[in-house]
Amino acid sequence: MSTLTTKQRRRLATKAGVWAGLLMGAGFAALPIFWMLVSSFKPNAKIFATPPRIIEEGSSFAAYVSIVHDPEKIRFFVNSYFVALSVTALTLTVAILAAYAFSRFEFPGKRILNVLVISVQAVPPITLLIPFFGLMVTLKLYNTYQGLILTYMVFTLPYAIIMLTGYFNTLPRELDEAAKVDGTSSFGALWRVLVPISIPGIVSVGIYTFMIAWNEYLFALTLTRTNDMRTVPIGIQLLMGQHSYEWNEMMAMSVLGSIPVVLLFIFFQRYFIGGMTAGSVKN
């Protein structure tokens, strides 16, 4: 009986240790987000007041009102939404077609293309910054939506193709064959049969792609010149003036910029986790 009690105590101690570690990790991760949120309501002069307080005298929605009533700052969000949604839609369309070809067909150069896709994914993006700048200037795509969209697709497509190929490999080929027996073409079997049952994988890849395009900073800074083409990450940086920083507006823009990604995870969390797990399986 005493041995059983000892085991129970050890289990309880283990569980308590795990929960304590998880709570500490969650608190460590959540603290900057919480501080960003409360700081967005504070007057700019009291952001770094000592001792720090959660609610300062004069706290208000002034930073958010300033952003909403500034057409230039609203344009940052419009640009980010347009670029991120365009990159997501185009990446998914191309990746679905490419993944279907890799998963279901044998063709000359398939192995070479596979290696090429994986190799592009392995290249550090920063090493391509200067070449992309020269390329966009040469193609007259500098400071344009098209330049940003095409650049981001270079980095999102390899991952999307790899993940969706792995996902399609988990689907039995009998589904395609049954559709073809009913008179459907290969293209029809893809869009009518495979795509509807691959929604978890497609959603997970779409969320990842949107996050990359929404949060990207370095290429957005390098490949754009005028404020009417800047995205949210660059807009936040522009609030750092030569003599003063608009900290409360920076925090407010950061909060508003985080909302789309947070909402995506809230509404599509089940699909995201399921898609990531299934896409990592290789048959």
Side-chain angles (χ1 to χ4, degrees):
M1 191 68 178
S2 59
T3 303
L4 183 61
T5 303
T6 302
K7 288 182 179 180
Q8 289 177 339
R9 289 177 178 175
R10 287 177 179 175
R11 289 176 183 173
L12 289 174
T14 301
K15 288 183 179 180
V18 170
W19 276 106
L22 290 174
L23 289 174
M24 288 176 62
F28 183 79
L31 182 59
I33 300 173
F34 173 75
W35 196 251
M36 175 182 71
L37 180 62
V38 298
S39 296
S40 67
F41 296 102
K42 296 179 180 180
N44 196 49
K46 296 185 178 180
I47 295 291
F48 295 106
T50 304
R53 294 190 297 180
I54 294 178
I55 300 177
E56 291 282 357
E57 183 180 353
S59 294
S60 66
F61 289 91
Y64 292 93
V65 172
S66 176
I67 292 172
V68 172
H69 286 84
D70 189 333
E72 187 176 80
K73 295 185 178 72
I74 293 297
R75 183 61 183 262
F76 297 147
F77 286 92
V78 172
N79 292 340
S80 283
Y81 275 114
F82 181 78
V83 171
L85 291 174
S86 298
V87 170
T88 302
L90 291 172
T91 296
L92 287 179
T93 301
V94 176
I96 287 172
L97 295 173
Y100 182 60
F102 280 125
S103 176
R104 292 300 195 260
F105 299 103
E106 294 295 331
F107 52 88
K110 176 180 177 179
R111 181 164 299 187
I112 296 176
L113 285 175
N114 243 323
V115 172
L116 182 62
V117 169
I118 296 173
S119 299
V120 173
Q121 178 71 16
V123 175
I126 193 171
T127 62
L128 302 175
L129 183 62
I130 302 304
F132 262 105
F133 175 79
L135 180 63
M136 292 303 156
V137 171
T138 302
L139 296 177
K140 300 186 185 303
L141 295 177
Y142 178 67
N143 200 46
T144 65
Y145 288 128
Q146 297 93 321
L148 281 180
I149 291 169
L150 290 175
T151 300
Y152 291 168
M153 286 183 65
V154 171
F155 303 113
T156 58
L157 260 177
Y159 173 86
I161 292 173
I162 293 169
M163 290 299 295
L164 289 179
T165 299
Y167 198 94
F168 285 157
N169 285 340
T170 66
L171 304 178
R173 293 178 179 267
E174 287 77 8
L175 294 172
D176 309 47
E177 297 170 359
K180 292 176 183 178
V181 168
D182 292 337
T184 303
S185 63
S186 297
F187 192 77
L190 168 63
W191 294 106
R192 296 179 183 178
V193 179
L194 296 186
V195 168
I197 63 178
S198 302
I199 293 299
I202 294 172
V203 168
S204 65
V205 171
I207 292 175
Y208 171 84
T209 302
F210 184 89
M211 287 173 56
I212 292 296
W214 182 268
N215 294 322
E216 204 284 322
Y217 172 83
L218 189 60
F219 283 86
L221 177 64
T222 306
L223 300 181
T224 58
R225 182 182 67 253
T226 58
N227 286 351
D228 64 325
M229 288 300 303
R230 303 291 198 184
T231 56
V232 171
I234 312 304
I236 294 174
Q237 187 234 347
L238 291 176
L239 292 172
M240 301 180 183
Q242 183 176 359
H243 302 291
S244 64
Y245 288 3
E246 299 296 332
W247 289 108
N248 54 351
E249 290 191 19
M250 289 171 60
M251 298 300 178
M253 280 195 71
S254 298
V255 171
L256 294 175
S258 303
I259 289 176
V261 178
V262 172
L263 291 178
L264 283 174
F265 272 107
I266 291 175
F267 290 107
F268 298 106
Q269 182 182 21
R270 177 167 56 92
Y271 292 109
F272 182 75
I273 296 175
M276 291 288 287
T277 305
S280 63
V281 177
K282 181 179 178 181
N283 284 351

